[in-house]
Amino acid sequence: MEFSLFLQYLFAGITYGIIYAIVAIGFNIIYNTTGIINFAQGEFLMLGGMISISLLQVMPLPLAIAAAVAITMVVGALIQMVFIRWIENPSVLRMVIITIGISILIREAALHIWGESVRTLPYFIGSSVTAVTLFGTRISPQVLIVIGTCSIMVLFLSIFFRYTSLGREMRACAANRRAATLCGINVKNMVTFSFMLSAGIGALAGAVMSPITYSQYDNGTGLAIKGFTVAILGGLGNSLAAVAAGLFLGIIEAFSITILPLAFQDAVAIAILLLILFIRPHGLFGSSEAARLKEF
Amino acid sequence: MGLRRRYLPLAGLLAAVIGVQLAASATNSTFYLTQLTMAAYYCLVIIGLCLLMGYAGQISLGHAGFFAIGGYLSAALTSHNFTAVSDTLLMRTLDRAGLLLHHQSLYGDSLLSLQPWLAFFIAIGVAVLIAFVLGIPVLKLKGHYLAMATLGFGIIIYRIVLAAEFFGEADGISEVPPFQLMPGLAVSGDFSARVQNYYIAWALLLFGLLLLLNLINSRMGRALRAIHGSEEAAEAIGINTARAKLYTFVISAAFAAVAGSLLTHFNGGIGPSEASVMKSVRYVAIVAVGGMANLWGAMAMGIILNFMSLRGMFGSYDDAVFGGVLLLIMLFAPQGILSLRLKNILWAKRPMTGK
């Protein structure tokens, strides 16, 4: 394989990989505070892309994206308050089915608002043929924007969770709910906030990736299952490992095109998911002892 | 549960099935029977899934995959032309055993395809085998992991039928021939065979229901309920939990594959939407509405909701209705819609009685 072609695949892999990592981190944020896997996580990305495309008609691009992120965060908060906040001690099966129901409703609402057509945001810089030369290969600046935005988000989140009091309170809920309550932390508000945060980063990723990957009412499910694969690969709840796992999956997927038909690209990721679940359910980087203590 | 209590509702259902057919024929509205036939096949998937979810407590978000394996294999094997490979040893052996069909296309070319019975057994066999191989590792998982793993399986099947030329890609497979069960009895979509097919489907559903009712009241059924209550406790009293879960998974997959195969012959075709995630979710929704561990509830809801959906009563909100129903039931009545109604009608709570 030519070196420049190799780089092309590599950058495609990194782009998708970091998007998967953002979805996985979205899963992790909610999982950490609630023990729930939010099956509607992929829908946040779809909403981010779709809303910013619609808003672009009445306002400039940066404002449209900011507004889309804000709206999606409100949607995330509403979902948690309407469907989840008031349920006491739900079983895992019940929560799985509830979040699946939510994802279907969001998707169907999107279908009736935006129709089946594939939409896209314009390229932020130049057009689809604009390219910068990097290591002797031509890369669209949008790819760099996606990678940059997602990296900044990851950095921001790790600072947020480590150094701000709000981030610390959320981590306290993850570590021990009852102890957090005893320390005067309002656990229910923290959960609502985790849904907002998770919806916000999803929406931002959904908007910046839209020029490359396009937005359609039903592309949330695929993203959710990839993101889940990455979250599991990294060990549920471990966000930095999720970035590594995301890049790993994205790059494998990108190179799988060289040996498999494009139509089977999704099947590759899912086959990896199944393999990991069978062999190391606690993830490549997770510890099996920690996994045993978690409630699934 | 006494034997009479177990079989009396079945006899009642049989009477209702016959009554509906007589009423439809008398009022010249046999077109309703077509949707009732299709609903009965879907119900077969649903009662199988009910056994898995309600009694063994294991969720599957991939049952449309097993339905599609049954349907697509039956369709492909009975409608593709195998003339090109007719010289191979396998095909010659099958031919000699009378398991191949020779016929001619519209243009006079000779066509060679498998007997529907052979295709049926291959399809069910493959589904059972896949369920077995998949079930061993998958059923060790719990909760979210199990849900995602079965969802992943469903998506892989969907991708395969969508991408493989053998399965007709996005168009699916059409012009699937009728399934001659025995002389004078065929699963086909002919208008003249409407009543006949209605009875075939319902006889199969009643038979399936009878099997499952016997199963849940057997040693196996009690073992499953113990597993649902607490897997550790079930293990401790000597139940081989892994084996019980696996058998249940395989049985429910076989039910789905049988329904897929026969419904495909009835419809004369199958498309990729039958393998979609939304279909799997729909089956789960119906089992949930019926009350999880309630075969009769799952069956009643399966017939009602599928019939309404097939009649097009939900319009373009079809998927939204199932999503919404699923959400509402899980939020407000996790024990199923029948639990709500009973409470309201009977006013006072009755003391709990053992079944």
Side-chain angles (χ1 to χ4, degrees):
Chain A
M1 192 188 293
E2 263 182 72
F3 184 63
S4 74
L5 191 64
F6 174 82
L7 275 182
Q8 294 275 4
Y9 280 128
L10 190 66
F11 269 101
I14 293 174
T15 312
Y16 277 93
I18 199 132
I19 291 168
Y20 298 155
I22 292 294
V23 184
I25 292 172
F27 274 124
N28 283 341
I29 292 173
I30 293 180
Y31 180 80
N32 272 341
T33 49
T34 59
I36 296 170
I37 287 293
N38 172 27
F39 278 69
Q41 189 65 36
E43 267 60 40
F44 292 145
L45 280 88
M46 182 271 292
L47 283 180
M50 285 302 214
I51 295 174
S52 39
I53 291 166
S54 291
L55 289 180
L56 190 61
Q57 289 164 2
V58 292
M59 55 180 83
L61 185 69
L63 213 57
I65 293 178
V69 170
I71 293 173
T72 313
M73 285 173 87
V74 172
V75 171
L78 280 177
I79 286 173
Q80 197 273 338
M81 288 194 273
V82 174
F83 297 117
I84 293 162
R85 195 180 170 108
W86 50 273
I87 300 178
E88 302 285 344
N89 293 326
S91 71
V92 169
L93 184 65
R94 195 171 162 202
M95 287 321 297
V96 167
I97 297 179
I98 286 175
T99 56
I100 288 174
I102 293 168
S103 84
I104 293 169
L105 287 191
I106 296 178
R107 197 159 61 233
E108 289 297 309
L111 174 64
H112 282 91
I113 296 170
W114 290 292
E116 283 188 1
S117 60
V118 177
R119 287 148 193 263
T120 171
L121 277 178
Y123 278 74
F124 295 1
I125 299 169
S127 69
S128 59
V129 290
T130 316
V132 290
T133 308
L134 204 68
F135 307 117
T137 186
R138 290 166 66 77
I139 305 286
S140 165
Q142 190 67 35
V143 166
L144 301 178
I145 292 176
V146 172
I147 297 175
T149 312
C150 293
S151 310
I152 291 169
M153 271 197 276
V154 172
L155 199 67
F156 159 77
L157 284 173
S158 40
I159 292 173
F160 170 78
F161 279 117
R162 193 155 302 162
Y163 298 112
T164 66
S165 65
L166 190 58
R168 284 179 178 166
E169 284 172 18
M170 286 174 75
R171 270 169 58 212
C173 297
N176 188 330
R177 240 166 192 251
R178 175 171 285 181
T181 314
L182 291 175
C183 292
I185 297 170
N186 188 332
V187 175
K188 288 197 165 174
N189 284 351
M190 288 302 129
V191 173
T192 310
F193 189 71
S194 72
F195 269 80
M196 286 177 72
L197 191 61
S198 167
I201 63 167
L204 184 55
V208 294
M209 68 184 247
S210 173
I212 305 177
T213 62
Y214 305 121
S215 303
Q216 203 184 357
Y217 78 100
D218 67 348
N219 60 8
T221 317
L223 284 169
I225 198 148
K226 302 279 179 60
F228 184 78
T229 308
V230 168
I232 298 280
L233 265 173
L236 261 183
N238 185 346
S239 288
L240 280 178
V243 176
L247 295 178
F248 171 72
L249 182 71
I251 291 169
I252 283 191
E253 246 188 29
F255 282 98
S256 76
I257 302 178
T258 56
I259 46 169
L260 278 175
L262 181 63
F264 289 110
Q265 200 185 24
D266 282 349
V268 171
I270 296 162
I272 293 175
L273 167 68
L274 291 181
L275 264 180
I276 294 292
L277 283 177
F278 299 159
I279 301 166
R280 272 182 77 88
H282 38 86
L284 287 183
F285 307 101
S287 86
S288 61
E289 268 156 50
R292 213 171 296 140
L293 295 173
K294 286 177 187 160
E295 293 172 43
F296 294 124
Chain B
M1 199 200 283
L3 285 186
R4 184 174 296 176
R5 267 193 65 193
R6 195 187 308 171
Y7 297 124
L8 214 55
L10 274 178
L13 181 61
L14 181 64
V17 168
I18 296 171
V20 167
Q21 184 267 316
L22 292 178
S25 295
T27 55
N28 219 355
S29 50
T30 49
F31 51 87
Y32 284 120
L33 296 186
T34 303
Q35 282 93 28
L36 283 173
T37 309
M38 292 166 77
Y41 285 128
Y42 283 127
C43 245
L44 200 60
V45 186
I46 288 157
I47 57 173
L49 186 61
C50 179
L51 177 75
L52 182 67
M53 279 179 58
Y55 293 90
Q58 311 296 311
I59 193 173
S60 167
L61 287 169
H63 256 54
F66 291 116
F67 181 94
I69 291 172
Y72 263 102
L73 279 179
S74 273
L77 294 176
T78 55
S79 62
H80 276 308
N81 187 3
F82 292 99
T83 312
V85 289
S86 63
D87 270 345
T88 54
L89 180 66
L90 175 68
M91 293 305 265
R92 273 195 308 233
T93 320
L94 290 177
D95 202 8
R96 219 164 288 145
L99 293 171
L100 297 184
L101 283 180
H102 294 271
H103 41 118
Q104 293 205 323
S105 75
L106 278 176
Y107 310 106
D109 300 330
S110 67
L111 295 177
L112 187 66
S113 57
L114 264 63
Q115 271 276 6
W117 267 117
L118 178 62
F120 175 80
F121 282 117
I122 293 176
I124 310 309
V126 169
V128 164
L129 193 70
I130 291 179
F132 196 78
V133 173
L134 184 75
I136 293 171
V138 158
L139 293 170
K140 282 186 193 144
L141 305 170
K142 293 193 181 78
H144 301 120
Y145 286 6
L146 180 64
M148 273 291 179
T150 51
L151 182 66
F153 162 73
I155 293 181
I156 287 184
I157 298 291
Y158 179 63
R159 289 287 161 195
I160 288 174
V161 299
L162 204 56
E165 209 180 318
F166 187 67
F167 296 122
E169 294 172 352
D171 296 330
I173 300 176
S174 54
E175 293 180 20
V176 176
F179 183 175
Q180 200 77 37
L181 294 172
M182 55 178 85
L185 199 63
V187 178
S188 78
D190 282 349
F191 291 126
S192 57
R194 220 176 226 161
V195 174
Q196 178 187 340
N197 267 286
Y198 170 78
Y199 278 114
I200 294 172
W202 279 90
L204 188 70
L205 179 59
L206 281 169
F207 179 66
L209 200 57
L210 178 68
L211 280 184
L212 295 187
L213 285 171
N214 280 333
L215 184 78
I216 58 174
N217 288 300
S218 68
R219 186 186 161 87
M220 172 84 163
R222 288 188 292 277
L224 289 180
R225 260 171 283 177
I227 292 171
H228 195 179
S230 160
E231 217 169 307
E232 287 81 6
E235 191 85 52
I237 55 170
I239 295 168
N240 187 338
T241 55
R243 201 175 63 189
K245 286 195 293 186
L246 184 62
Y247 283 176
T248 319
F249 190 65
V250 171
I251 290 171
S252 73
F255 269 60
V258 168
S261 170
L262 292 179
L263 184 56
T264 301
H265 282 289
F266 178 69
N267 285 339
I270 186 167
S273 72
E274 288 295 348
S276 65
V277 172
M278 216 26 240
K279 275 279 153 122
S280 294
V281 172
R282 173 177 299 206
Y283 299 139
V284 171
I286 293 173
V287 171
V289 176
M292 294 288 186
N294 185 345
L295 275 178
W296 284 102
M299 206 206 68
M301 288 303 137
I303 293 297
I304 294 169
L305 289 175
N306 272 311
F307 180 74
M308 288 168 80
S309 165
L310 290 165
R311 291 294 305 167
M313 288 183 190
F314 306 136
S316 64
Y317 292 95
D318 207 40
D319 285 346
V321 165
F322 279 94
V325 162
L326 183 64
L327 192 54
L328 288 176
I329 285 293
M330 274 295 135
L331 284 176
F332 301 113
Q335 302 302 315
I337 202 164
L338 297 171
S339 70
L340 269 187
R341 205 195 52 191
L342 280 180
K343 245 181 248 167
N344 291 345
I345 292 176
L346 298 180
W347 290 88
K349 272 187 186 163
R350 285 187 179 174
M352 288 280 284
T353 49
K355 275 190 179 173

